[in-house]
Tab-separated table of all heavy atoms in Angstrom:
chain	number	residue	atom	x	y	z
V	275	MET	N	20.315	-24.643	118.868
V	275	MET	CA	20.792	-24.288	117.525
V	275	MET	C	19.656	-23.910	116.571
V	275	MET	O	19.895	-23.640	115.405
V	275	MET	CB	21.588	-25.446	116.919
V	275	MET	CG	22.866	-25.758	117.646
V	275	MET	SD	24.140	-24.537	117.306
V	275	MET	CE	25.503	-25.272	118.168
V	276	LYS	N	18.412	-23.910	117.062
V	276	LYS	CA	17.271	-23.520	116.209
V	276	LYS	C	16.948	-22.066	116.458
V	276	LYS	O	16.626	-21.670	117.582
V	276	LYS	CB	16.062	-24.411	116.475
V	276	LYS	CG	16.265	-25.821	115.970
V	276	LYS	CD	14.961	-26.541	115.840
V	276	LYS	CE	15.199	-27.849	115.092
V	276	LYS	NZ	13.972	-28.395	114.584
V	277	LEU	N	17.008	-21.260	115.399
V	277	LEU	CA	16.868	-19.809	115.516
V	277	LEU	C	15.620	-19.303	114.807
V	277	LEU	O	15.176	-19.892	113.815
V	277	LEU	CB	18.095	-19.126	114.915
V	277	LEU	CG	19.454	-19.623	115.414
V	277	LEU	CD1	20.575	-18.969	114.625
V	277	LEU	CD2	19.616	-19.373	116.892
V	278	THR	N	15.095	-18.176	115.302
V	278	THR	CA	13.908	-17.560	114.701
V	278	THR	C	13.933	-16.051	114.901
V	278	THR	O	14.731	-15.543	115.679
V	278	THR	CB	12.623	-18.149	115.310
V	278	THR	OG1	11.503	-17.606	114.606
V	278	THR	CG2	12.487	-17.837	116.789
V	279	ASP	N	13.039	-15.371	114.224
V	279	ASP	CA	12.822	-13.936	114.380
V	279	ASP	C	14.114	-13.130	114.198
V	279	ASP	O	14.432	-12.249	114.972
V	279	ASP	CB	12.192	-13.653	115.754
V	279	ASP	CG	11.563	-12.267	115.819
V	279	ASP	OD1	11.230	-11.719	114.746
V	279	ASP	OD2	11.426	-11.729	116.926
V	280	VAL	N	14.851	-13.463	113.136
V	280	VAL	CA	16.129	-12.801	112.872
V	280	VAL	C	15.910	-11.484	112.131
V	280	VAL	O	14.820	-11.220	111.622
V	280	VAL	CB	17.078	-13.715	112.047
V	280	VAL	CG1	17.339	-15.014	112.780
V	280	VAL	CG2	16.527	-13.981	110.659
V	281	GLY	N	16.939	-10.682	112.088
V	281	GLY	CA	16.901	-9.431	111.340
V	281	GLY	C	18.026	-9.414	110.315
V	281	GLY	O	18.957	-10.213	110.392
V	282	ILE	N	17.932	-8.502	109.372
V	282	ILE	CA	19.000	-8.321	108.384
V	282	ILE	C	19.250	-6.833	108.212
V	282	ILE	O	18.316	-6.047	108.066
V	282	ILE	CB	18.638	-8.963	107.025
V	282	ILE	CG1	18.661	-10.491	107.142
V	282	ILE	CG2	19.591	-8.503	105.928
V	282	ILE	CD1	18.402	-11.240	105.856
V	283	ALA	N	20.528	-6.472	108.257
V	283	ALA	CA	20.936	-5.091	107.978
V	283	ALA	C	21.726	-5.106	106.675
V	283	ALA	O	22.527	-6.006	106.438
V	283	ALA	CB	21.808	-4.560	109.110
V	284	THR	N	21.471	-4.114	105.818
V	284	THR	CA	22.217	-4.005	104.567
V	284	THR	C	22.951	-2.676	104.541
V	284	THR	O	22.437	-1.664	105.023
V	284	THR	CB	21.289	-4.087	103.336
V	284	THR	OG1	20.290	-3.084	103.447
V	284	THR	CG2	20.640	-5.443	103.215
V	285	LEU	N	24.172	-2.704	103.991
V	285	LEU	CA	24.991	-1.496	103.935
V	285	LEU	C	24.393	-0.486	102.964
V	285	LEU	O	24.327	0.694	103.232
V	285	LEU	CB	26.426	-1.861	103.526
V	285	LEU	CG	27.462	-0.761	103.669
V	285	LEU	CD1	27.587	-0.311	105.108
V	285	LEU	CD2	28.813	-1.248	103.175
V	286	ALA	N	23.946	-0.989	101.806
V	286	ALA	CA	23.340	-0.112	100.795
V	286	ALA	C	21.882	-0.512	100.631
V	286	ALA	O	21.552	-1.694	100.654
V	286	ALA	CB	24.079	-0.272	99.472
V	287	LYS	N	21.018	0.479	100.463
V	287	LYS	CA	19.601	0.171	100.229
V	287	LYS	C	19.485	-0.635	98.945
V	287	LYS	O	20.090	-0.298	97.947
V	287	LYS	CB	18.789	1.451	100.113
V	287	LYS	CG	18.461	2.058	101.438
V	287	LYS	CD	17.485	3.207	101.272
V	287	LYS	CE	17.102	3.730	102.645
V	287	LYS	NZ	16.149	4.819	102.547
V	288	GLY	N	18.703	-1.694	99.018
V	288	GLY	CA	18.472	-2.492	97.825
V	288	GLY	C	19.642	-3.379	97.442
V	288	GLY	O	19.777	-3.759	96.290
V	289	TYR	N	20.520	-3.746	98.397
V	289	TYR	CA	21.637	-4.649	98.092
V	289	TYR	C	21.079	-5.942	97.501
V	289	TYR	O	20.264	-6.615	98.130
V	289	TYR	CB	22.454	-4.937	99.359
V	289	TYR	CG	23.471	-6.033	99.191
V	289	TYR	CD1	24.632	-5.829	98.449
V	289	TYR	CD2	23.275	-7.290	99.751
V	289	TYR	CE1	25.563	-6.831	98.280
V	289	TYR	CE2	24.205	-8.300	99.593
V	289	TYR	CZ	25.345	-8.064	98.854
V	289	TYR	OH	26.265	-9.079	98.685
V	290	LYS	N	21.462	-6.249	96.268
V	290	LYS	CA	20.973	-7.419	95.520
V	290	LYS	C	19.446	-7.478	95.538
V	290	LYS	O	18.840	-8.533	95.638
V	290	LYS	CB	21.577	-8.707	96.078
V	290	LYS	CG	23.060	-8.832	95.799
V	290	LYS	CD	23.543	-10.227	96.036
V	290	LYS	CE	24.996	-10.335	95.615
V	290	LYS	NZ	25.543	-11.653	95.781
V	291	GLY	N	18.815	-6.308	95.501
V	291	GLY	CA	17.357	-6.245	95.475
V	291	GLY	C	16.711	-6.475	96.830
V	291	GLY	O	15.504	-6.589	96.931
V	292	PHE	N	17.521	-6.525	97.890
V	292	PHE	CA	16.992	-6.855	99.208
V	292	PHE	C	16.917	-5.626	100.106
V	292	PHE	O	17.877	-4.881	100.225
V	292	PHE	CB	17.885	-7.910	99.870
V	292	PHE	CG	17.360	-8.361	101.201
V	292	PHE	CD1	16.284	-9.219	101.267
V	292	PHE	CD2	17.927	-7.914	102.369
V	292	PHE	CE1	15.778	-9.613	102.491
V	292	PHE	CE2	17.435	-8.309	103.597
V	292	PHE	CZ	16.359	-9.171	103.652
V	293	LYS	N	15.771	-5.424	100.726
V	293	LYS	CA	15.616	-4.362	101.715
V	293	LYS	C	15.766	-4.998	103.087
V	293	LYS	O	15.024	-5.900	103.437
V	293	LYS	CB	14.202	-3.767	101.641
V	293	LYS	CG	14.056	-2.653	100.660
V	293	LYS	CD	12.758	-1.897	100.821
V	293	LYS	CE	11.580	-2.723	101.296
V	293	LYS	NZ	10.305	-2.048	101.231
V	294	GLY	N	16.727	-4.535	103.867
V	294	GLY	CA	16.882	-5.054	105.217
V	294	GLY	C	15.829	-4.462	106.137
V	294	GLY	O	15.134	-3.526	105.779
V	295	ASN	N	15.723	-5.016	107.341
V	295	ASN	CA	14.767	-4.485	108.310
V	295	ASN	C	15.472	-3.951	109.557
V	295	ASN	O	14.847	-3.697	110.564
V	295	ASN	CB	13.731	-5.547	108.693
V	295	ASN	CG	14.347	-6.730	109.425
V	295	ASN	OD1	15.550	-6.986	109.332
V	295	ASN	ND2	13.532	-7.478	110.133
V	296	CYS	N	16.805	-3.794	109.476
V	296	CYS	CA	17.584	-3.288	110.603
V	296	CYS	C	18.468	-2.142	110.135
V	296	CYS	O	18.825	-2.053	108.966
V	296	CYS	CB	18.467	-4.392	111.191
V	296	CYS	SG	17.528	-5.729	111.931
V	297	SER	N	18.867	-1.320	111.075
V	297	SER	CA	19.693	-0.155	110.771
V	297	SER	C	21.089	-0.555	110.296
V	297	SER	O	21.657	-1.544	110.758
V	297	SER	CB	19.825	0.698	112.036
V	297	SER	OG	20.843	1.650	111.889
V	298	VAL	N	21.647	0.244	109.388
V	298	VAL	CA	23.004	0.019	108.898
V	298	VAL	C	24.016	0.141	110.036
V	298	VAL	O	25.101	-0.429	109.975
V	298	VAL	CB	23.327	0.985	107.729
V	298	VAL	CG1	23.492	2.409	108.233
V	298	VAL	CG2	24.567	0.557	106.983
V	299	SER	N	23.655	0.837	111.118
V	299	SER	CA	24.570	0.981	112.260
V	299	SER	C	24.892	-0.360	112.903
V	299	SER	O	25.924	-0.519	113.547
V	299	SER	CB	23.989	1.935	113.301
V	299	SER	OG	22.818	1.380	113.869
V	300	PHE	N	24.023	-1.368	112.715
V	300	PHE	CA	24.294	-2.706	113.255
V	300	PHE	C	25.543	-3.293	112.601
V	300	PHE	O	26.301	-4.007	113.235
V	300	PHE	CB	23.119	-3.650	113.017
V	300	PHE	CG	21.866	-3.296	113.772
V	300	PHE	CD1	20.727	-4.044	113.605
V	300	PHE	CD2	21.807	-2.214	114.632
V	300	PHE	CE1	19.557	-3.736	114.289
V	300	PHE	CE2	20.657	-1.888	115.323
V	300	PHE	CZ	19.523	-2.662	115.149
V	301	ILE	N	25.737	-2.988	111.311
V	301	ILE	CA	26.913	-3.498	110.602
V	301	ILE	C	28.171	-2.857	111.173
V	301	ILE	O	29.150	-3.544	111.462
V	301	ILE	CB	26.796	-3.240	109.081
V	301	ILE	CG1	25.632	-4.051	108.505
V	301	ILE	CG2	28.108	-3.578	108.372
V	301	ILE	CD1	25.357	-3.823	107.033
V	302	GLU	N	28.135	-1.553	111.365
V	302	GLU	CA	29.282	-0.833	111.933
V	302	GLU	C	29.582	-1.341	113.337
V	302	GLU	O	30.734	-1.570	113.695
V	302	GLU	CB	28.975	0.679	111.954
V	302	GLU	CG	30.147	1.531	112.352
V	302	GLU	CD	31.345	1.416	111.422
V	302	GLU	OE1	31.167	1.300	110.193
V	302	GLU	OE2	32.477	1.425	111.947
V	303	GLN	N	28.537	-1.538	114.128
V	303	GLN	CA	28.699	-2.040	115.493
V	303	GLN	C	29.315	-3.431	115.476
V	303	GLN	O	30.223	-3.722	116.242
V	303	GLN	CB	27.348	-2.076	116.191
V	303	GLN	CG	27.394	-2.700	117.581
V	303	GLN	CD	26.007	-2.892	118.152
V	303	GLN	OE1	25.226	-1.969	118.193
V	303	GLN	NE2	25.703	-4.094	118.578
V	304	PHE	N	28.817	-4.305	114.589
V	304	PHE	CA	29.345	-5.668	114.505
V	304	PHE	C	30.824	-5.639	114.133
V	304	PHE	O	31.643	-6.319	114.736
V	304	PHE	CB	28.554	-6.497	113.485
V	304	PHE	CG	29.116	-7.878	113.301
V	304	PHE	CD1	28.893	-8.858	114.261
V	304	PHE	CD2	29.878	-8.191	112.189
V	304	PHE	CE1	29.426	-10.130	114.109
V	304	PHE	CE2	30.410	-9.462	112.032
V	304	PHE	CZ	30.182	-10.434	112.993
V	305	ARG	N	31.160	-4.848	113.140
V	305	ARG	CA	32.550	-4.766	112.680
V	305	ARG	C	33.474	-4.296	113.813
V	305	ARG	O	34.583	-4.777	113.955
V	305	ARG	CB	32.651	-3.830	111.477
V	305	ARG	CG	34.000	-3.863	110.805
V	305	ARG	CD	34.021	-3.134	109.502
V	305	ARG	NE	33.498	-1.788	109.621
V	305	ARG	CZ	32.908	-1.149	108.641
V	305	ARG	NH1	32.742	-1.722	107.477
V	305	ARG	NH2	32.466	0.077	108.796
V	306	ALA	N	32.993	-3.379	114.633
V	306	ALA	CA	33.819	-2.842	115.726
V	306	ALA	C	33.900	-3.790	116.922
V	306	ALA	O	34.933	-3.845	117.584
V	306	ALA	CB	33.262	-1.502	116.173
V	307	LEU	N	32.835	-4.547	117.200
V	307	LEU	CA	32.779	-5.330	118.429
V	307	LEU	C	33.016	-6.828	118.267
V	307	LEU	O	33.294	-7.508	119.255
V	307	LEU	CB	31.405	-5.132	119.112
V	307	LEU	CG	31.045	-3.705	119.512
V	307	LEU	CD1	29.651	-3.671	120.118
V	307	LEU	CD2	32.067	-3.147	120.485
V	308	HIS	N	32.908	-7.353	117.061
V	308	HIS	CA	33.036	-8.812	116.890
V	308	HIS	C	34.410	-9.314	117.306
V	308	HIS	O	35.428	-8.747	116.913
V	308	HIS	CB	32.779	-9.204	115.433
V	308	HIS	CG	33.027	-10.656	115.166
V	308	HIS	ND1	32.214	-11.651	115.664
V	308	HIS	CD2	34.016	-11.282	114.472
V	308	HIS	CE1	32.691	-12.830	115.271
V	308	HIS	NE2	33.774	-12.623	114.554
V	309	GLN	N	34.412	-10.370	118.110
V	309	GLN	CA	35.656	-11.030	118.489
V	309	GLN	C	35.635	-12.417	117.876
V	309	GLN	O	34.740	-13.211	118.175
V	309	GLN	CB	35.774	-11.118	120.005
V	309	GLN	CG	35.918	-9.773	120.673
V	309	GLN	CD	35.983	-9.884	122.189
V	309	GLN	OE1	35.871	-10.959	122.762
V	309	GLN	NE2	36.159	-8.754	122.841
V	310	CYS	N	36.610	-12.698	117.032
V	310	CYS	CA	36.665	-14.014	116.397
V	310	CYS	C	36.844	-15.099	117.452
V	310	CYS	O	37.444	-14.875	118.492
V	310	CYS	CB	37.807	-14.070	115.387
V	310	CYS	SG	37.461	-13.136	113.889
V	311	ASN	N	36.304	-16.274	117.146
V	311	ASN	CA	36.449	-17.420	118.034
V	311	ASN	C	37.005	-18.592	117.222
V	311	ASN	O	37.324	-18.434	116.039
V	311	ASN	CB	35.104	-17.749	118.703
V	311	ASN	CG	34.017	-18.025	117.676
V	311	ASN	OD1	34.173	-18.836	116.766
V	311	ASN	ND2	32.883	-17.334	117.810
């Protein structure tokens, strides 16, 4: 349960002043592929 070296993708550049380090396509991919548990 201990995690490291994570990434963040943001839909809009500068969301709440935050610059993500991953492509916005990760959000689209997550939305399409996520299966609730």
Side-chain angles (χ1 to χ4, degrees):
M275 295 285 185
K276 290 198 170 197
L277 309 174
T278 185
D279 197 23
V280 301
I282 290 183
T284 56
L285 191 61
K287 280 188 176 181
Y289 170 73
K290 291 195 174 181
F292 183 75
K293 272 193 328 190
N295 65 339
C296 295
S297 166
V298 71
S299 66
F300 293 178
I301 295 177
E302 187 61 37
Q303 175 188 308
F304 176 76
R305 189 170 52 209
L307 300 178
H308 174 70
Q309 294 178 357
C310 287
N311 57 52

